[in-house]
Amino acid sequence: MKTPTEAQARAAAHSTAAPTPFQRKHLLGLEDLTREEVLRILDEARGMKDIFTRTVKKVPALRGKTVANLFFENSTRTRTSFELAAKRLSADVINFSAAGSSVSKGESLIDTVRTIEAMGADFVVMRHSASGAPHLLSRNVKSAVINAGDGTHEHPTQGLLDMFTMREKLGRLEGLKVAIVGDILHSRVARSNIWGLRKLGVGELRLVGPRTLLPKWFESMGCQLHYNLEEGIRGVDVINILRIQLERQSENLFPSIREYQVLYGLTTKRIAAACPDALIMHPGPINRGVEISQEVADGPQSVINEQVTNGVAIRMAVLYLLSGYRGGPLSEDE
Amino acid sequence: MTSLLIQNGRVIDPANGRDELADLLIQDGRVAAVGRGLTRAAAEVFDARGKVVAPGFVDLHVHLREPGFESDETIASGTRAAAAGGFTSVVPMANTNPVIDTAAGIKFIQERAGADAAVNVFPIAAVTREQKGESIVEFGDLVQAGAVAFSDDGHAIMNNEIMRRALEYCAMFDVPILDHCGDLNLIGHGVMCEGEVSTRLGLPGIPPVAEAIQVARDIALAEYVGGKVHIQHVSCALSVEFIKRGKERGVAVTAEVTPHHLALTDACLERYDSNFKMSPPLASEEERRALVRGLAEGVIDCIATDHAPHSATQKDKTFDEAPFGVIGSETAFPVVYTELVVGGALTLPQLIEKLSTAPARILKLPKGTLSIGADADVTILDTEWRGAIDESMFRSRSRNTPFLGRQVHGKVAATIVRGRVVYRDGQVLV
Amino acid sequence: MSEPRELMNKEQMDKAIAELAERIDRDVAEPGATALVGIRTRGVPLASRLRKIYALTREWNLPLGHLDITLYRDDLSTLGSQPMVRESRIEFPVDGKTIILVDDVLYTGRTVRSAIDAILDFGRPRAIRLAVLVDRGLREYPIQPDYCALKIETRPNQTVQVLFPQVDGRQQVLLLTLDEGEAPEPA
């Protein structure tokens, strides 16, 4: 006979609130997740955010676990956020940057990660310039892989923190009108937002940008395409602005930064077309005066700093939930 | 006098319009007789009851990687892979290291093939020196040395003037240029076909028009200078359309399509598996259907594998870093038989024509027929077999196949080269 | 599962909570320096009942908090999947206060151990006292209640359920006995 623990007995006494079980080994993208899984992460992050208000901003949940941050592209912001999230859950953190590692000496990605795994990493948080790099890794290593941004594919934790912020500020996601503005083609943030928001029943999802950066195929992902900024943001509840990469100009994807700013730069005057209290979001880092004006970035509607705070809560929720993986039918690759 | 009697098979010989239950007698490496109840004593008898006896398959497009990339494939291993796939003749591309662009290179291939090959090897040479696209090779000298055609495969010829002169000059020898079409500027850093799937996966796309533009150019130039052009691995509907119009205008244009472009689409790339990365890339289902239709209507003349081996170390990389190319020799027949014959697009005799008679005709090789006196290159097929493609079928040095685990109908039962059984029941015998 | 046995009906439970309040009362020397913290889930309605009693009978307005101990559990890695983390709400300074930690049932002592750890992350209380409605014995850690309304002996294959109207729609204490081979409900 099994002996019920106090916790089990407690749960038995309160089974009505049992959450949807979360059984995933890796977080590769939001496209793979179910609506219930996305919701579970968002709900879990609320409990995590609560820890930030305490005197001791740390809980023992992941004591004894090791998180390896493996960043093949520089991103102080995302790396620090993951590091803080792991530390607040009491995990140990090791940081690898590609520049200092043997990757630059020709070692293969798989070999690099196997080395880190041999040091006992339970989680590998990876940022890589190649779309699909975390998928390759997930097939070749035993650690749980968390995609911290792969090429122009997905950036799932950014998508989640954006949704968390919208939900926290506006109280819901169902029925919202959201516009994503900028270089959609090359944006992993846009893709993760699209998958997540579509699953959570957002009302209208509009993508706004020049035709060369907004291919028609995005329509099949349930989005409306707008090449005119004013039309695209008219009446929306949220404007999520993407960073424009200066090097796209040399690829002839648009004529000049100046023209981009003229056509798509978000200014106080322009955002008036949206709802009066529409949220202004940006995943950072910001090119002030290019895709967004100084006034808009620092204005009352901007939630850019809250996004950063929420990012830590989301990453804590993701680490916490993935650490509950016990193997089983829902795993992606076993 | 050596002899082999293949008894009671269904002999399908498209060149002679034959499709009947018959015996086939081989003597001294040549077809000696075809007919019912051949009773002449033979040294060896092959019971082909329930099987199909076809002219040996001819693959106009393989990469044997020798010289230079022997860890991926060699003439010995690549021709054994071909034998296992029912191919009795292969045409290896010239993008080796060094590039085959001189008579000495052709001689090297011939010598290595003479020593190591399990099937016939017909060498070709590059169109431009070192395949750099800058200056043409010594076509006349190479033809005399035994080059059966010219191709810069692996590289597009971007300079229209070079292409014009190559077509114009080679017309003197009645030898075609085999062209790998794809405008390099449009391809850019692309790694898969541009479309819905590439947009979702966030992988840089290659628009199908990158190929079609060069197909149109080749046809226009071939018409203008009266040359012969063969379009390699056609991958999209627009290219098929241009080839069709070229043929209608009487241009000497022929074309091939690969089993993977006939059977797979870009949807296969969901998991970023580099075993589905090849050039030209897999396209949408709509494009795939246009290729099947183009083949069935005769716009596309033949099937060629573009067998492109890469070792696991090469392929176990992120999708954008992994090299283009997949192997195809061993899996070609089961894949196309399942897709085209079971799928209803072609009859078995039509498929055999696309795999043997047609490719031989394009390069004027003395192959692809079971006529009396012809080289006794024979492929025996078991069309009843059903199963999954598994590890045991491969003879290549590499395993970069997109077909592992695929359920198929039909397999190659035996391969006979000039009267000698080189492959039978899963075993390479040479 | 065999028929649940009723340990307390509604009236008996009301009486037990009132008695518990009274016992704690003797120790609450300074109402201004005392706070109630209920452990989620059933410690929360119990703590709020205690608070209501003091408000009515003593006109004390004790601060009330609730605590989710999920992230402090020592058995996270043994569970089938991660339990939901809910908010902890302690919106008063913990430093220097006497914290009355409230839970419905005391069993192995592991939950209380986690709860003490959690409270310490909010600050440094002067003292922590433990109040429970039912002590069912079978302790695994050296933790004892300071205040307890009912102490009974149970077996490991039994479960004590305390039901509150706010959560369960009725008020009752039940003893459930699992049959041989019957697994307890998963956490």
Side-chain angles (χ1 to χ4, degrees):
Chain A
M1 161 165 321
K2 279 192 188 168
T3 303
T5 63
E6 186 169 22
Q8 284 166 335
R10 176 178 304 281
H14 190 49
S15 55
T16 48
T20 335
F22 192 97
Q23 274 299 302
R24 273 196 190 262
K25 183 173 179 189
H26 311 291
L27 177 65
L28 304 180
L30 297 190
E31 185 182 359
D32 318 325
L33 299 189
T34 64
R35 172 190 158 80
E36 287 67 34
E37 286 169 323
V38 174
L39 275 173
R40 178 76 199 275
I41 300 172
L42 298 183
D43 289 344
E44 210 67 69
R46 210 182 292 161
M48 296 297 171
K49 197 175 175 185
D50 167 56
I51 294 167
F52 302 175
T53 59
R54 301 185 192 172
T55 313
V56 178
K57 295 173 184 61
K58 194 175 180 108
V59 293
L62 293 191
R63 211 162 50 167
K65 305 266 188 212
T66 302
V67 176
N69 274 329
L70 187 56
F71 278 64
F72 292 93
E73 278 184 343
N74 287 330
S75 168
T76 311
R77 173 183 303 250
T78 306
R79 187 187 54 70
T80 314
S81 179
F82 267 108
E83 183 168 353
L84 190 56
K87 286 180 168 170
R88 285 190 170 165
L89 292 171
S90 300
D92 294 318
V93 179
I94 37 182
N95 286 311
F96 282 81
S97 74
S101 79
S102 42
V103 173
S104 48
K105 295 170 199 142
E107 188 182 58
S108 82
L109 172 62
I110 294 170
D111 286 340
T112 304
V113 178
R114 284 194 180 143
T115 307
I116 291 165
E117 196 172 45
M119 294 175 192
D122 301 285
F123 297 91
V124 174
V125 175
M126 184 171 74
R127 162 71 58 95
H128 200 285
S129 61
S131 300
H135 303 69
L136 173 72
L137 214 59
S138 71
R139 289 196 291 271
N140 287 282
V141 299
K142 291 186 212 77
S143 316
V145 177
I146 299 176
N147 182 3
D150 64 323
T152 56
H153 176 231
E154 280 219 48
H155 190 353
T157 56
Q158 179 72 43
L160 289 163
L161 76 89
D162 288 349
M163 284 190 281
F164 181 89
T165 308
M166 291 177 212
R167 204 180 180 213
E168 188 181 50
K169 290 281 167 188
L170 302 172
R172 69 197 161 101
L173 288 170
E174 287 81 8
L176 289 186
K177 290 181 186 169
V178 178
I180 305 174
V181 181
D183 180 357
I184 311 289
L185 174 61
H186 299 98
S187 177
R188 50 194 172 210
V189 176
R191 283 173 181 78
S192 287
N193 264 276
I194 291 167
W195 294 122
L197 289 168
R198 294 292 301 150
K199 281 177 216 269
L200 265 52
V202 82
E204 267 182 44
L205 188 48
R206 305 188 197 162
L207 306 179
V208 187
R211 278 195 77 182
T212 42
L213 298 176
L214 184 49
K216 62 184 177 188
W217 296 290
F218 276 101
E219 251 170 4
S220 68
M221 290 154 81
C223 305
Q224 298 174 16
L225 312 191
H226 290 271
Y227 309 119
N228 177 287
L229 180 66
E230 276 79 6
E231 278 171 26
I233 63 171
R234 188 164 297 145
V236 298
D237 303 293
V238 178
I239 308 176
N240 201 348
I241 305 153
L242 305 173
R243 178 181 167 80
I244 187 81
Q245 307 256 308
L246 306 183
E247 63 262 29
R248 303 295 173 208
Q249 186 184 323
S250 60
E251 294 169 32
N252 286 300
L253 288 164
F254 55 89
S256 67
I257 286 288
R258 184 182 160 275
E259 172 151 326
Y260 183 86
Q261 198 270 325
V262 167
L263 294 180
Y264 298 101
L266 267 291
T267 58
T268 311
K269 188 163 165 251
R270 283 234 173 92
I271 60 167
C275 280
D277 45 6
L279 300 185
I280 304 295
M281 306 179 72
H282 192 298
I286 300 173
N287 291 316
R288 282 176 190 264
V290 181
E291 71 262 3
I292 183 168
S293 74
Q294 179 92 19
E295 296 73 37
V296 174
D298 301 332
Q301 289 164 254
S302 165
V303 291
I304 296 172
N305 289 332
E306 277 105 317
Q307 285 176 271
V308 176
T309 309
N310 293 338
V312 179
I314 281 290
R315 286 161 185 135
M316 288 171 76
V318 167
L319 286 166
Y320 168 72
L321 286 171
L322 293 181
S323 72
Y325 176 74
R326 306 283 177 261
L330 288 175
S331 70
E332 297 93 309
D333 53 10
E334 264 120 336
Chain B
M1 190 163 100
T2 61
S3 60
L4 172 65
L5 181 63
I6 302 167
Q7 278 188 317
N8 297 315
R10 175 183 167 194
V11 177
I12 299 178
D13 181 14
N16 293 299
R18 187 192 295 273
D19 180 0
E20 61 183 358
L21 281 177
D23 302 334
L24 180 88
L25 180 70
I26 297 169
Q27 281 179 331
D28 289 335
R30 292 182 182 277
V31 177
V34 185
R36 289 182 197 225
L38 294 184
T39 50
R40 248 173 292 181
E44 202 185 330
V45 174
F46 189 112
D47 180 10
R49 198 179 302 269
K51 304 217 166 47
V52 171
V53 179
F57 295 164
V58 176
D59 194 344
L60 290 191
H61 196 147
V62 298
H63 295 269
L64 299 180
R65 302 295 187 216
E66 189 178 350
F69 307 103
E70 289 84 354
S71 58
D72 296 334
E73 198 77 285
T74 60
I75 289 172
S77 65
T79 54
R80 276 158 185 78
F87 294 97
T88 53
S89 298
V90 295
V91 178
M93 293 298 117
N95 58 337
T96 49
N97 185 19
V99 167
I100 305 302
D101 56 4
T102 60
I106 294 290
K107 188 159 286 234
F108 172 84
I109 300 292
Q110 287 164 335
E111 277 171 14
R112 298 294 295 143
D116 291 343
V119 305
N120 306 303
V121 174
F122 293 98
I124 63 155
V127 178
T128 63
R129 290 169 207 261
E130 296 178 56
Q131 296 192 319
K132 283 184 172 165
E134 290 162 2
S135 57
I136 55 176
V137 298
E138 294 173 342
F139 293 115
D141 191 34
L142 283 154
V143 167
Q144 280 177 12
V148 295
F150 297 93
S151 175
D152 268 3
D153 181 64
H155 306 269
I157 299 171
M158 285 295 285
N159 185 321
N160 300 334
E161 165 68 3
I162 298 260
M163 190 64 186
R164 175 226 160 123
R165 295 305 175 196
L167 284 165
E168 197 166 27
Y169 194 90
C170 284
M172 290 196 293
F173 315 106
D174 196 25
V175 163
I177 302 287
L178 321 183
D179 198 22
H180 171 139
C181 293
D183 182 281
L184 294 178
N185 294 317
L186 286 170
I187 290 171
H189 300 296
V191 295
M192 68 175 288
C193 187
E194 186 172 277
E196 200 182 313
V197 183
S198 73
T199 303
R200 273 200 297 123
L201 296 181
L203 286 171
I206 300 172
V209 290
E211 172 185 274
I213 279 176
Q214 286 206 328
V215 170
R217 171 203 67 175
D218 285 359
I219 292 167
L221 288 174
E223 180 171 19
Y224 183 64
V225 301
K228 279 173 92 172
V229 68
H230 172 78
I231 309 298
Q232 298 182 297
H233 40 52
V234 175
S235 73
C236 72
L238 190 55
S239 298
V240 175
E241 180 63 30
F242 287 149
I243 295 163
K244 186 177 177 190
R245 285 211 240 153
K247 287 188 166 179
E248 284 164 2
R249 291 170 67 91
V251 182
V253 56
T254 54
E256 70 189 31
V257 62
T258 71
H260 47 267
H261 287 109
L262 290 167
L264 306 174
T265 67
D266 56 0
C268 299
L269 275 69
E270 290 288 342
R271 284 165 58 83
Y272 297 92
D273 184 343
S274 65
N275 285 328
F276 292 89
K277 179 178 177 181
M278 70 286 285
S279 172
L282 296 174
S284 67
E285 173 65 13
E286 206 181 321
E287 307 283 7
R288 188 194 70 84
R289 285 193 191 160
L291 298 176
V292 172
R293 205 161 42 239
L295 184 70
E297 289 171 357
V299 177
I300 299 173
D301 303 85
C302 72
I303 295 168
T305 65
D306 193 6
H307 176 82
H310 291 289
S311 65
T313 5
Q314 296 293 312
K315 276 287 195 180
D316 259 357
K317 289 182 178 164
T318 56
F319 198 87
D320 61 349
E321 282 182 312
F324 290 101
V326 298
I327 58 170
S329 294
E330 298 98 328
T331 51
F333 178 73
V335 167
V336 293
Y337 180 75
T338 308
E339 197 55 47
L340 304 174
V341 178
V342 178
L346 294 185
T347 62
L348 180 58
Q350 284 172 329
L351 178 65
I352 289 171
E353 197 264 343
K354 304 286 186 196
L355 283 163
S356 60
T357 320
R361 186 177 57 233
I362 290 167
L363 294 192
K364 298 194 297 177
L365 305 177
K367 300 289 179 186
T369 172
L370 296 175
S371 302
I372 308 297
D375 286 346
D377 290 354
V378 182
T379 298
I380 299 178
L381 305 167
D382 178 353
T383 55
E384 300 299 309
W385 186 84
R386 289 181 185 200
I389 289 178
D390 68 40
E391 190 65 29
S392 72
M393 294 181 175
F394 294 95
R395 293 292 175 279
S396 169
R397 281 207 168 175
S398 297
R399 287 292 176 279
N400 51 318
T401 173
F403 293 117
L404 200 65
R406 191 179 176 92
Q407 290 293 325
V408 288
H409 292 236
K411 68 174 180 183
V412 173
T415 308
I416 297 163
V417 177
R418 272 168 284 144
R420 183 177 176 202
V421 181
V422 296
Y423 174 83
R424 184 172 186 174
D425 298 332
Q427 300 299 317
V428 174
L429 305 172
V430 290
Chain C
M1 206 182 324
S2 59
E3 197 60 24
R5 185 156 74 83
E6 188 179 70
L7 297 178
M8 290 185 203
N9 62 23
K10 182 177 181 301
E11 289 70 32
Q12 288 166 323
M13 201 167 140
D14 279 338
K15 194 161 163 263
I17 295 171
E19 279 170 17
L20 191 64
E22 222 163 278
R23 258 180 262 171
I24 299 169
D25 176 15
R26 284 175 218 138
D27 275 3
V28 182
E30 300 169 80
T34 306
L36 293 161
V37 172
I39 302 177
R40 276 182 184 273
T41 302
R42 299 298 192 289
V44 175
L46 180 56
S48 108
R49 285 283 291 277
L50 293 171
R51 184 177 184 279
K52 208 174 284 174
I53 290 173
Y54 295 130
L56 286 173
T57 63
R58 305 285 191 279
E59 292 186 349
W60 293 344
N61 214 358
L62 299 186
L64 173 68
H66 52 242
L67 202 59
D68 181 275
I69 55 104
T70 308
L71 293 166
Y72 293 82
R73 286 170 64 161
D74 58 7
D75 59 349
L76 275 178
S77 60
T78 67
L79 302 176
S81 72
Q82 301 297 73
M84 182 78 197
V85 174
R86 293 169 200 282
E87 270 176 297
S88 291
R89 186 157 297 166
I90 298 183
E91 289 164 338
F92 47 85
V94 165
D95 289 349
K97 282 214 169 56
T98 295
I99 301 293
I100 312 286
L101 193 58
V102 181
D103 206 359
D104 56 343
V105 180
L106 177 61
Y107 178 23
T108 60
R110 288 174 191 267
T111 299
V112 174
R113 195 281 306 165
S114 305
I116 294 170
D117 280 355
I119 285 181
L120 297 183
D121 284 350
F122 284 87
R124 185 179 182 279
R126 193 182 67 79
I128 300 177
R129 306 272 181 245
L130 176 62
V132 299
L133 194 66
V134 182
D135 175 358
R136 59 169 290 195
L138 300 173
R139 212 81 73 241
E140 290 169 6
Y141 286 175
I143 282 170
Q144 304 306 332
D146 297 285
Y147 317 104
C148 165
L150 173 67
K151 186 168 165 48
I152 54 163
E153 300 221 334
T154 59
R155 296 191 307 276
N157 65 328
Q158 293 180 313
T159 299
V160 176
Q161 282 193 354
V162 178
L163 307 177
F164 285 96
Q166 301 94 309
V167 196
D168 312 289
R170 61 199 163 118
Q171 180 171 304
Q172 206 178 12
V173 180
L174 297 174
L175 179 69
L176 280 67
T177 304
L178 301 173
D179 296 332
E180 193 71 31
E182 193 176 359
E185 281 183 58

